[in-house]
Amino acid sequence: MEKIGILKKNNVQIDNSLEFWGDINFYNANLKEYKDSLKDKLENLEYYKNKQDFENYGILAHSTKSEAKYLGFANEAEIFFQHEKAGKERNKEFIDSHYEELENTINKIQAILEEYFASNNEDEKKCILIADDSSIMLNFIEQTIGKEYKIVKVSNGKKAIEKLNELSIYAILLDLNMPNINGFEVLEYLKNNNLIEKIPVVVITGDDSKETIKKAFSYPILDVLNKPFKENNIQRILVSIKSFYEKNKK
């Protein structure tokens, strides 16, 4: 979910705004438009101030205020309101003496929204679940693909199943030999819950015996990575995972 805590810690009245917009996605779309417009708003406000075009200065301060208010920036909206009022009253002295405050307020909103949407981009990464009882292996895979994907690491099959019930999982890299619940038991869980053909699974194992490999492929897994493997082996697997989803779109 979106990092609304970033907004709340900056005193954005997110709950009131969601009541108005009705939907977080609709709210976010308008919030992003507002963020993208702030640079132009500031440039135009400065232009009208320098030209002493008080009418247009007040009109722009009004729209900036209204949008801020609807999006939960109530305290900031009050500052914009004062400039709207000053524009209508042609109060050059107030505008000149308080313009830096307006500028800082717009820059503050911009910084908050940049942080907010950066955190959302992180959340939008596809989630790969890695189940392996080796912390070295978990960290190696995370370092290899962690910039492109959100990595969830677990050390046994029980935790893997818990994450499957909590998160939307894009793909699974599954060790077979784990404590508590092993990899084959996780595969059985995926099969019994109609997940194994929906989520691509790559088995990672240090056991390359024919019996183990044959048993692994008795499930509709995507592939097997034999330990030890290198970065290029993981990249090859990522291509296969993407192909899996491309084929399922057709």
Side-chain angles (χ1 to χ4, degrees):
M1 294 295 293
E2 287 74 10
K3 304 288 187 181
I4 61 174
I6 291 171
L7 300 179
K8 289 184 175 181
K9 79 176 182 180
N10 286 287
N11 299 315
V12 180
Q13 297 178 5
I14 177 70
D15 294 332
N16 292 340
S17 292
L18 289 179
E19 285 184 15
F20 175 79
W21 295 104
D23 178 81
I24 186 67
N25 294 322
F26 194 33
Y27 173 75
N28 276 341
N30 285 279
L31 197 64
K32 188 175 188 305
E33 281 191 23
Y34 188 58
K35 175 183 75 70
D36 293 341
S37 73
L38 287 174
K39 181 180 179 181
D40 286 341
K41 288 182 188 297
L42 189 56
E43 289 178 355
N44 288 328
L45 283 164
E46 185 172 10
Y47 174 81
Y48 294 137
K49 174 180 76 71
N50 293 338
K51 286 284 188 180
Q52 296 186 34
D53 185 345
F54 299 113
E55 181 180 358
N56 281 315
Y57 185 92
I59 290 171
L60 184 53
H62 168 78
S63 67
T64 307
K65 172 208 72 177
S66 298
E67 291 170 345
K69 183 178 178 181
Y70 293 141
L71 293 167
F73 290 88
N75 295 332
E76 293 78 6
E78 181 59 31
I79 292 171
F80 301 144
F81 170 70
Q82 295 301 322
H83 282 265
E84 174 193 354
K85 184 179 176 183
K88 290 178 179 178
E89 296 172 350
R90 304 179 65 83
N91 189 340
K92 181 179 184 299
E93 182 180 352
F94 178 90
I95 293 172
D96 287 343
S97 62
H98 290 81
Y99 185 77
E100 185 177 353
E101 180 186 28
L102 177 141
E103 185 177 29
N104 289 339
T105 301
I106 290 178
N107 289 333
K108 173 189 171 186
I109 294 174
Q110 183 83 45
I112 292 169
L113 296 184
E114 291 290 351
E115 181 184 4
Y116 175 70
F117 282 105
S119 70
N120 286 339
N121 288 338
E122 181 67 24
D123 278 353
E124 288 169 4
K125 288 182 179 180
K126 294 180 174 65
C127 183
I128 293 184
L129 174 62
I130 310 171
D132 197 305
D133 61 344
S134 167
S135 59
I136 294 175
M137 188 60 61
L138 291 172
N139 292 331
F140 170 68
I141 298 173
E142 181 178 35
Q143 289 174 11
T144 303
I145 62 176
K147 290 183 179 180
E148 185 177 357
Y149 296 94
K150 182 178 180 180
I151 303 302
V152 176
K153 301 181 293 184
V154 296
S155 58
N156 60 62
K158 182 177 183 293
K159 292 180 180 179
I161 291 171
E162 289 174 357
K163 294 300 180 184
L164 283 165
N165 289 312
E166 294 172 4
L167 303 170
S168 176
I169 301 298
Y170 176 68
I172 306 170
L173 302 186
L174 180 67
D175 186 25
L176 293 179
N177 186 22
M178 294 184 294
N180 202 332
I181 293 178
N182 64 39
F184 283 116
E185 290 172 299
V186 174
L187 288 172
E188 195 65 24
Y189 173 86
L190 292 166
K191 176 183 175 182
N192 293 337
N193 288 273
N194 299 315
L195 295 172
I196 198 161
E197 293 183 349
K198 297 177 182 177
I199 304 174
V201 179
V202 176
V203 164
I204 49 180
T205 181
D207 182 357
D208 61 355
S209 66
K210 291 182 180 179
E211 293 78 9
T212 298
I213 301 302
K214 182 178 179 180
K215 184 177 180 181
F217 275 112
S218 68
Y219 298 89
I221 62 172
L222 189 64
D223 207 341
V224 172
L225 274 178
N226 290 113
K227 299 178 183 179
F229 48 82
K230 298 181 180 179
E231 182 177 338
N232 65 317
N233 300 122
I234 301 175
Q235 295 300 334
R236 174 180 58 81
I237 289 300
L238 293 179
V239 173
S240 298
I241 291 170
K242 290 175 182 177
S243 297
F244 171 90
Y245 282 103
E246 288 298 321
K247 289 177 183 177
N248 284 349
K249 284 181 182 178
K250 297 177 181 179

